[in-house]
């Protein structure tokens, strides 16, 4: 061992050295500490400089939803870290692996979360299958990496019963123990109610205290209003502290006038309604109220107990008592009471249009325009090409020099040669622009709207069946503005495809945008259900004039739309109707003849196959029914379903079911004006 | 042999038989395309794209490749009354014969010219199948490269076996049959029809393996063409040396 080694390594000498200590520090300790620090920074959970966000969600109403309906999803994001700009995404899988028609629907919304902030995001989604998991994901725009992702098994949350929603913080959870009812009672908070009317799709009845209205966000209040108008059923419970009932939001819905309180010991009317005695230990208070333009459904002597006010197609009931307080909380008749309340809803169940989907979409598909030019275009083009070439080839091969040409023969032949090649080049370019570029308008879509209207409900239901067909990989986009639409993808038997396109419903600010990415030669069918304000009025009576039965019909159109090419159908009779223009009236009467050939009249008068289908459908059901009259026709001037399109020119077929008064109290006497200009019938 | 005027540049390309060939190839292909014109309603094609373009491309592939093989083998008769005005190197010509050389450049250019006249028909048929332009270009590149390959195979057979011999005639066609048919059962990736069909069917979501197959095909053909061109040149020089010594 050398002397220098001994000197440099004091351990060999048995003596410590200051140089050795410094070297150890420089070469071992410091790098080790540095590495340790780096590792702890990378592997630890730092709270500075990185995103730290948590998510809380509610599915449906208190994590309950009805299958095959639209439901609200409320997500609260709490950001404890740096600013976040990203996208919140909900992925819903529908369909069946067995039928090989599984498809994905994505609902997204942009997220902007400053640091140390909390925001609530509300979605309205459709769940058609509980067997696929449901995913919520928050993605950072910059890194495209998921900041949060949660997969939820839907099995514990779904039900097939309609929901009976009780809103409030102090609803008793023991309320519905006992008798089973056909509805599923759910308790939820006001802040978790849907922001669109569509979110109430699975709800048959909602009971809400007046004070809950103040906790609603404006979109929630608007959505609730729309839901009632479109057929919803709301019950507002009164309370001794009735100040909340006088608030603007409640008054706008149901203008309750409270004159005071009344102390009672029992309510015989309720006992009679439910066959269950209402036993109160102490007297309790009920409200003395009046609601103009309403109907009293239940009264105790002269004191109304339950009012019903119609709002659009739906209704609001007002209870003058608080069902959450004694003696009602312990009342054994409360189950029967709510069963009765459910029956107060006068809204007719909406027709399920799924039965006609196949027919309508087949009709759409058969009317798909060809994307390529007619064969005669190709024949003409190629004929011109061959003719030009043959002429130039002939001139090129001709040996005789044209006397009038000053060119030498070789130059002439060279020119002809150039012409031959040039012709091929020119026709190649022309074929691209004449035949190929027009097909680059890849997405072809057409639609048929089917409008159902009953009596004079003032709201019609429009089901728009949309087919989109794509020749290339491309996106089909529909912009619905600020209206949340019920968009249901439809898979038809015999039309399934191995890789159905993904539906992407985007909440872009206040806009709803639907995007479907198509693969080549793929299609997508959608059904979009929307309510439509439809101020059409009607009165139909069946009277006997002499020995002839005559139907008298008075129609009034106060809408901006017109019904053209219309037909009346009544008990096997098909009669043409003149065009019914906007802001006009029709007064018509037609005799009922016993001799009528419906099929002949149908073939003679109605040429469109789909129109025939709807009329025959009505005939099969109502041919022997003189209590219902149908008006069929095509609507003109209807707005398009998407905001960016002009009023639709696509077919809109109306089926208007009119009840016929078969026992008019006053015999019809000539042209009597049935309508008051200031109000509807 | 009588003395004739010197050949003009690219005379074979625009000789009367060739011009007739171009003309006939156009109307034959057009006839094929019109015959396959989609007769069904549009909705019948949803999920079942029309294969018009694929069939027309395959027809043009076989046709042009055969013509390239035929020309490469020197079977083209372009001047009368001389029995065969062959594309052969100068040393093989009799003394005072007209000089003419059909070399690598012309073997590469001639199929391009053949396809130039067919492009309008190919584009119209691509429209019928809604074929993406990238896929069109890929299929077109397969058509061109395969025609080049057949041209060089023909020239190779001509140089090794000579022209106007039955052995060479059948040998050239057998090689073409091997390439178009036998490869389907042995190495499908090297079968141009198989590759074109796969590229056509998987336009939307072509897997990376398919794209790699496409590039591999081009590379393999390029390598074979290069080898054949080199072999041709070597053989020509050998023959030249033999002739010179003789």
């Amino acid at each position: 061992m050398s002397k220098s080694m001994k000197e440099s390594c004091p351990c060999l000498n048995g003596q410590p050295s200051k140089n050795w200590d410094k070297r150890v520090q420089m070469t071992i300790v410091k790098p080790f500490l540095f590495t340790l620090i780096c590792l702890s920074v990378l592997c630890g959970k730092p709270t500075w400089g990185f995103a730290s966000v948590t998510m809380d969600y509610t599915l449906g109403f208190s994590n309950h939803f009805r299958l095959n309906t639209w439901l609200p999803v409320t997500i609260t994001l709490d950001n404890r870290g740096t600013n976040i700009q990203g996208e919140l995404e909900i992925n819903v899988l529908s369909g069946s692996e067995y039928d090989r028609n599984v498809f994905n629907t994505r609902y997204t919304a942009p997220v902007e979360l400053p640091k140390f902030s909390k925001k609530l995001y509300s979605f309205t989604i459709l769940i058609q299958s509980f067997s696929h998991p449901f995913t919520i994901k928050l993605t950072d725009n910059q890194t495209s990496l998921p900041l949060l992702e949660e997969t939820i098994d839907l099995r514990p949350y779904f039900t097939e019963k309609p929901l009976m929603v009780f809103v409030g913080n102090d609803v008793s959870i023991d309320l519905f123990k006992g008798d089973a009812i056909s509805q599923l009672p759910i308790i939820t908070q006001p802040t978790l109610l849907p922001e669109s009317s569509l979110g109430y799709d699975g709800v048959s009845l909602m009971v809400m205290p007046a004070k809950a209205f103040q906790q609603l966000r404006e979109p929630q209040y608007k959505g609730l209003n729309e839901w009632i108008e479109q057929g919803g059923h709301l019950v507002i419970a009164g309370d001794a502290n009735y100040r909340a009932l006088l608030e603007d939001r409640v008054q706008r819905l149901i203008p309750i006038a409270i004159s005071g309180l009344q102390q009672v010991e029992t309510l015989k009317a309720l006992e009679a309604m439910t066959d269950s005695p209402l036993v109160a230990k102490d007297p309790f208070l009920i409200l003395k109220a009046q609601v103009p333009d309403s109907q009293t459904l239940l009264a105790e002597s002269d004191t109304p107990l339950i009012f019903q006010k119609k709002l659009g197609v739906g209704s609001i009931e007002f209870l003058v008592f608080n069902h959450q307080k004694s003696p009602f909380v312990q009342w054994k008749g409360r189950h029967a009471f709510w069963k009765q309340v459910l029956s107060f809803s006068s809204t007719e169940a909406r027709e399920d249009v799924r039965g006609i989907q196949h027919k309508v979409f087949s009709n759409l598909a058969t009317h798909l325009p060809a994307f390529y030019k007619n064969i005669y275009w190709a024949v003409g083009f190629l004929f011109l090409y061959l003719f030009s070439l043959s002429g130039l080839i002939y001139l090129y091969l001709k040996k005789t020099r044209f006397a009038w040409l000053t060119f030498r023969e070789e130059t002439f032949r060279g020119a002809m040669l150039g012409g031959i090649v040039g012709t091929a080049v020119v026709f190649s370019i022309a074929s691209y622009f004449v035949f190929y570029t027009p097909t680059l308008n890849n997405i072809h879509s057409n639609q048929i709207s089917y409008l159902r209207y009953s009596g004079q409900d003032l709201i019609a239901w429009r089901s728009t069946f949309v087919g989109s067909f794509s020749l290339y990989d491309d996106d089909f986009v529909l912009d619905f503005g600020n209206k949340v639409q019920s968009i249901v993808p439809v898979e038809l038997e015999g039309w399934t495809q191995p890789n159905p396109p993904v539906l992407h419903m985007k909440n872009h600010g206040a806009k709803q945008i639907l995007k479907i990415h198509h693969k080549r030669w793929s299609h997508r069918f959608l059904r979009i259900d929307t309510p439509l304000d439809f101020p059409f009025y009607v009165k139909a009576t069946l009277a006997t004039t002499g020995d002839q039965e005559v139907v008298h019909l008075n129609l009034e159109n106060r809408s901006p739309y017109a019904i053209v090419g219309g037909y009346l159908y009544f008990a096997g009779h098909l009669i043409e109707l003149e065009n019914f223009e906007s802001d006009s009236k029709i007064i018509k009467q037609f005799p009922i003849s016993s001799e009528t050939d419906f099929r002949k009249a149908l073939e003679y008068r109605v040429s469109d196959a789909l129109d025939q289908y709807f009329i025959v459908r009505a005939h099969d059901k109502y041919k022997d029914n003189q209590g219902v009259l149908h008006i069929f026709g095509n609507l003109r001037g209807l707005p398009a379903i998407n905001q960016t399109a002009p009023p639709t020119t696509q077919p809109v077929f109306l089926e208007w079911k009119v009840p016929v008064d078969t026992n008019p109290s006053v015999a019809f006497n000539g042209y009597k004006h049935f309508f008051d200009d200031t109000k509807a019938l | 042999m009588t003395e004739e005027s010197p050949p003009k540049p690219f005379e074979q390309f625009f000789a009367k038989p060739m011009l007739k060939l171009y003309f006939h190839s156009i109307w034959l292909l057009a006839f094929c395309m019109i015959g396959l014109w989609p007769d069904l309603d549009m909705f019948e094609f949803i999920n079942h794209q029309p294969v018009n373009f694929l069939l027309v491309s395959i027809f043009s592939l076989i046709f042009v490749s055969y013509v390239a093989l035929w020309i490469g083998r020197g079977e083209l008769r372009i001047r009368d009354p001389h029995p065969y005005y062959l594309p052969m190197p100068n040393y093989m010509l009799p003394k005072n014969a007209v000089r003419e050389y059909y070399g690598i450049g012309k073997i590469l250019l001639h199929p391009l010219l053949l396809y130039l006249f067919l492009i309008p028909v190919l584009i119209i048929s691509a429209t019928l199948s809604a074929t993406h332009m990238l896929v069109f270009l890929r299929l077109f590149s397969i058509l061109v490269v395969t025609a080049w390959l057949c041209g060089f195979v023909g020239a190779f057979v001509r140089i090794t076996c000579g022209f106007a011999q039955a052995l060479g005639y059948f040998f050239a066609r057998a090689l073409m049959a091997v390439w178009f048919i036998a490869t389907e059962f042995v190495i499908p990736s090297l079968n141009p029809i198989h590759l074109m069909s796969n590229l056509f069917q998987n336009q939307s979501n072509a897997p990376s393996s398919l794209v790699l197959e496409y590039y591999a095909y081009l590379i393999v053909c390029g390598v074979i063409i290069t080898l054949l061109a080199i072999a041709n040149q070597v053989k020509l020089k050998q023959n030249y040396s033999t002739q010179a010594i003789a």
Side-chain angles (χ1 to χ4, degrees), chain A residues 365-366 369-373 378 382 385-386 389-390 396 417 428 431-432 435-436 439 472-473 497 520-521 523, chain B residues 14 19 23 26 30 33 37-38 42-43 45-47 49-50 117 119-120 123 127-133 203-204:
Chain A
T366 52
F371 72 100
Y372 47 82
K373 290 197 183 303
L382 293 169
Y385 179 41
L386 287 167
L389 265 183
S390 60
Y396 172 73
L417 204 60
S428 299
S431 66
Y432 177 81
F435 290 91
Y436 192 83
T439 69
Y472 298 90
D473 290 0
Q497 47 194 328
R520 291 181 76 247
W521 293 96
H523 70 282
Chain B
F14 299 106
L19 289 172
F23 185 81
I26 296 169
M33 182 190 71
W37 196 271
M42 263 299 292
F43 73 91
F45 294 117
I46 298 300
N47 295 335
Q49 57 178 332
F117 290 100
I119 284 176
I123 288 179
T127 304
L128 295 173
S129 299
T131 304
H132 200 272
M133 193 39 66
Q203 290 183 53
S204 268

Side-chain angles (χ1 to χ4, degrees), chain A residues 126-140:
Chain A
L126 175 67
I127 296 182
Q128 295 175 297
S129 166
F130 62 84
S131 55
H132 303 288
F134 171 88
T135 311
I136 303 176
K137 191 160 75 172
L138 174 64
T139 313
D140 187 349

Side-chain angles (χ1 to χ4, degrees), chain B:
Chain B
M1 182 186 293
T2 56
E3 278 202 23
E4 297 179 2
S5 55
K8 298 177 182 55
F10 301 103
E11 182 173 345
Q12 308 96 319
F13 285 24
F14 299 106
K16 188 173 175 181
M18 281 312 303
L19 289 172
K20 279 187 177 175
L21 184 73
Y22 301 147
F23 185 81
H24 292 315
S25 68
I26 296 169
W27 76 257
L28 273 172
L29 198 66
F31 187 77
C32 172
M33 182 190 71
I34 299 290
L36 295 168
W37 196 271
D39 192 26
L40 303 170
D41 291 324
M42 263 299 292
F43 73 91
E44 302 276 359
F45 294 117
I46 298 300
N47 295 335
H48 305 94
Q49 57 178 332
V51 293
N52 191 295
F53 177 61
L54 178 65
L55 295 175
V56 167
S57 302
I58 291 171
F59 181 82
S60 65
L61 170 79
I62 296 169
F63 179 81
V64 174
S65 298
Y66 185 79
V67 169
L69 178 91
W70 183 57
I71 294 172
R73 218 189 84 74
E75 295 172 23
L76 177 63
R77 183 181 182 144
I78 63 166
R79 271 200 192 187
D80 284 324
H82 192 72
Y84 271 98
Y85 194 72
L86 295 165
M88 60 165 65
N90 299 332
Y91 72 90
M92 289 179 76
L93 288 171
K95 204 176 177 183
N96 298 326
V98 176
R99 288 174 175 232
E100 191 276 326
Y101 180 60
Y102 194 92
I104 293 172
K106 290 186 180 176
I107 292 178
L108 292 174
L109 275 175
H110 212 158
L112 287 176
L113 186 64
L114 275 160
Y115 276 122
L116 175 66
F117 290 100
L118 299 179
I119 284 176
V121 183
L122 289 171
I123 288 179
I124 295 172
S125 62
T127 304
L128 295 173
S129 299
T131 304
H132 200 272
M133 193 39 66
L134 176 65
V135 174
F136 176 88
L137 291 173
R138 281 185 177 158
L139 262 63
F140 188 75
S141 63
I142 293 172
L143 297 180
V144 169
V145 165
T146 309
W148 285 345
L149 182 67
C150 291
F152 276 96
V153 164
F156 177 75
V157 169
R158 166 172 52 85
I159 289 168
T160 49
C161 302
F163 57 91
Q165 285 194 18
L167 176 66
Y169 181 90
F170 287 109
F171 186 47
R173 280 139 184 89
L175 283 175
M176 188 174 162
V178 162
W179 189 253
F180 278 81
I181 300 168
T183 49
E184 171 65 19
F185 304 101
V186 179
I187 314 171
S189 308
L190 288 182
N191 186 284
I193 298 173
H194 179 96
L195 184 61
M196 282 168 62
S197 176
N198 276 353
L199 282 171
F200 180 80
Q201 299 289 348
N202 294 294
Q203 290 183 53
S204 268
N205 47 355
S208 51
S209 58
L210 183 58
V211 178
L212 282 174
E213 262 185 41
Y214 160 72
Y215 286 115
Y217 180 83
L218 295 182
I219 290 168
V220 165
C221 286
V223 166
I224 296 173
I225 287 168
T226 308
L227 290 173
L228 285 173
I230 293 170
N232 288 351
Q233 293 301 313
V234 166
K235 187 70 180 160
L236 280 174
K237 281 184 181 166
Q238 273 181 358
N239 289 350
Y240 180 78
S241 309
T242 309
Q243 289 286 327
I245 291 167

Side-chain angles (χ1 to χ4, degrees), chain A residues 347-449:
Chain A
T347 310
E348 219 178 277
R350 240 185 294 153
E351 183 194 349
D352 187 353
V353 293
R354 284 178 292 180
I356 65 169
Q357 273 176 172
H358 201 283
K359 181 74 182 175
V360 175
F361 283 121
S362 299
N363 188 277
L364 269 182
T366 52
H367 285 89
L368 191 61
F371 72 100
Y372 47 82
K373 290 197 183 303
N374 194 288
I375 190 173
Y376 299 111
W377 272 86
V379 169
F381 182 86
L382 293 169
F383 179 78
L384 190 65
Y385 179 41
L386 287 167
F387 181 77
S388 312
L389 265 183
S390 60
L392 289 165
I393 291 171
Y394 173 78
L395 288 173
Y396 172 73
L397 294 175
K398 195 94 170 131
K399 299 248 186 256
T400 311
R401 186 161 50 116
F402 292 105
W404 51 273
L405 277 177
T406 55
F407 296 124
R408 291 186 302 158
E409 184 174 330
E410 282 176 13
T411 312
F412 175 74
R413 286 165 62 84
M416 289 300 105
L417 204 60
I420 290 168
V421 175
T423 301
V425 171
V426 164
F427 274 83
S428 299
I429 296 169
S431 66
Y432 177 81
F433 286 103
V434 170
F435 290 91
Y436 192 83
T437 48
T439 69
L440 294 177
N441 179 19
N442 305 331
I443 300 275
H444 301 265
S445 74
N446 52 1
Q447 58 180 265
I448 292 174
S449 288

Side-chain angles (χ1 to χ4, degrees), chain A residues 614-626:
Chain A
F614 285 117
I615 296 171
V616 167
R617 213 166 66 108
H619 172 71
D620 290 342
K621 200 172 171 188
Y622 294 102
K623 58 186 171 207
D624 297 320
N625 187 336
Q626 290 193 332

